[in-house]
Amino acid sequence: PVITSWNELLTGHQWQQQDPQNRSFLPRSAPVEKNSRWRWYRELQFSKQKINFIQGFQDFDDQPSLYEYLKSKNKPIENFAAVIGDPVHHSWTPYIQGQNFSLNVLAIPLTESDFKVAIPILESLGIRALAVTSPLKEAAGLLCGVNQSLNSLVFKNGMWSGISTDDFGLQSLLKSVPDIHSLNVAVWGGGGVLDSIENVLPKAQFYSAQTQQNRNKTNEAFTPNVVVWAAPRKTGIKWPPTQWSVQYIVDLNYMENSMGLEYAQRIKAKYISGVTMFLAQAEKQIQFYLNKV
């Protein structure tokens, strides 16, 4: 069936659980969805129902891959972990953390508007740990009762607790730029990592990637040596001013389709990928999970 909401997903799941030996529930995303919404659920259910499918070359994207089946089949079936965000299918988290964590780690696409509805449903399905990406880090903090962005959450004894490992990851990444604290730094975009960037680079100037306006509303003549690229690839994102003379692009993204990489190629600046940041903050996340779960 085409499933268009989290509540419909829960209804289908409860129907399957009434007779799991004879019922299988295989939700399908609406045709208008650009990416699979429910692939993670099918992966979660591999060991809990009789009928499952893996993806061939021409099947729709809700069917998990053979790799995802093999990754999941030897993991505990009662509890699981996940990375949530929008978009999220590009994330390396299920692979990296799955190697170091006993629980199966799924990639769950989740929008800001669905966050409050989805979290109780995930709790009922057995969620124990969450890695949180944009645009959900502020909502994750509120879930834990704090007014700050968090990217690492644990659910235990009916309560959520969390930390942010972004500062640690960002510090590791910025070591790639010699004497960065003595250079002029512009942050392009930001989203859920603005707090961490301000903590690590308090003298940086912050710009909206959609309006090109300086968020600090000061120093309009500012000319950076370094651009920290913190904007996603999506409609409406603009390039920085052409008059800037930038030596380094520090990208918080680690994907090869990042606009930060394209910008570095356009202006022939030295490019520093966000891989270092991802691996450093992921290591801290795993330590937090292992101590809490």
Side-chain angles (χ1 to χ4, degrees), residues 166-168 170-171 174 181 195-202:
D166 283 335
D167 285 17
F168 180 79
L170 187 59
Q171 288 169 350
L174 294 177
H181 294 285
D195 290 345
S196 293
I197 298 173
E198 285 184 302
N199 290 338
V200 178
L201 296 171

Side-chain angles (χ1 to χ4, degrees), residues 212-288:
Q212 297 182 312
Q213 297 300 308
N214 188 322
R215 298 180 196 266
N216 305 68
K217 297 181 180 179
T218 59
N219 204 357
E220 293 299 328
F222 181 78
T223 302
N225 312 106
V226 181
V227 168
V228 176
W229 192 272
R233 177 176 288 280
K234 68 177 185 179
T235 303
I237 298 297
K238 294 182 171 61
W239 300 111
T242 56
Q243 65 267 28
W244 283 4
S245 180
V246 179
Q247 299 168 266
Y248 294 92
I249 307 298
V250 181
D251 199 348
L252 304 191
N253 192 343
Y254 54 84
M255 301 306 293
E256 291 185 1
N257 71 340
S258 171
M259 288 184 71
L261 175 56
E262 183 178 348
Y263 178 54
Q265 292 171 336
R266 283 176 177 232
I267 66 171
K268 296 180 171 56
K270 181 175 177 58
Y271 177 74
I272 299 169
S273 169
V275 168
T276 299
M277 177 177 177
F278 170 78
L279 294 176
Q281 63 87 22
E283 181 180 351
K284 284 290 186 181
Q285 279 185 325
I286 291 166
Q287 293 173 6
F288 174 68

Side-chain angles (χ1 to χ4, degrees), residues 144-193:
C144 296
V146 297
N147 191 25
Q148 67 183 80
S149 297
L150 301 179
N151 73 339
S152 309
L153 272 59
V154 164
F155 184 65
K156 190 172 184 179
N157 299 325
M159 299 288 292
W160 286 96
S161 60
I163 60 170
S164 175
T165 65
D166 283 335
D167 285 17
F168 180 79
L170 187 59
Q171 288 169 350
S172 299
L173 178 63
L174 294 177
K175 290 177 182 177
S176 302
V177 181
D179 301 319
I180 189 169
H181 294 285
S182 65
L183 299 176
N184 290 340
V185 179
V187 180
W188 199 254
V193 293

Side-chain angles (χ1 to χ4, degrees), residues 10 20 41 55 57 59 61 86 139 141 155 178 182 212 257 272 275:
L10 181 61
Y41 177 83
Q55 192 172 130
F57 291 110
D59 300 312
D61 202 34
D86 183 33
F155 184 65
S182 65
Q212 297 182 312
N257 71 340
I272 299 169
V275 168

Side-chain angles (χ1 to χ4, degrees), residues 57-92:
F57 291 110
Q58 312 222 344
D59 300 312
F60 55 88
D61 202 34
D62 285 293
Q63 292 175 185
S65 66
L66 176 61
Y67 165 74
E68 287 166 325
Y69 166 71
L70 295 173
K71 174 178 73 72
S72 301
K73 74 185 186 94
N74 293 322
K75 295 288 188 177
I77 64 173
E78 295 305 320
N79 300 317
F80 66 100
V83 54
I84 58 172
D86 183 33
V88 78
H89 281 131
H90 68 281
S91 175
W92 292 0

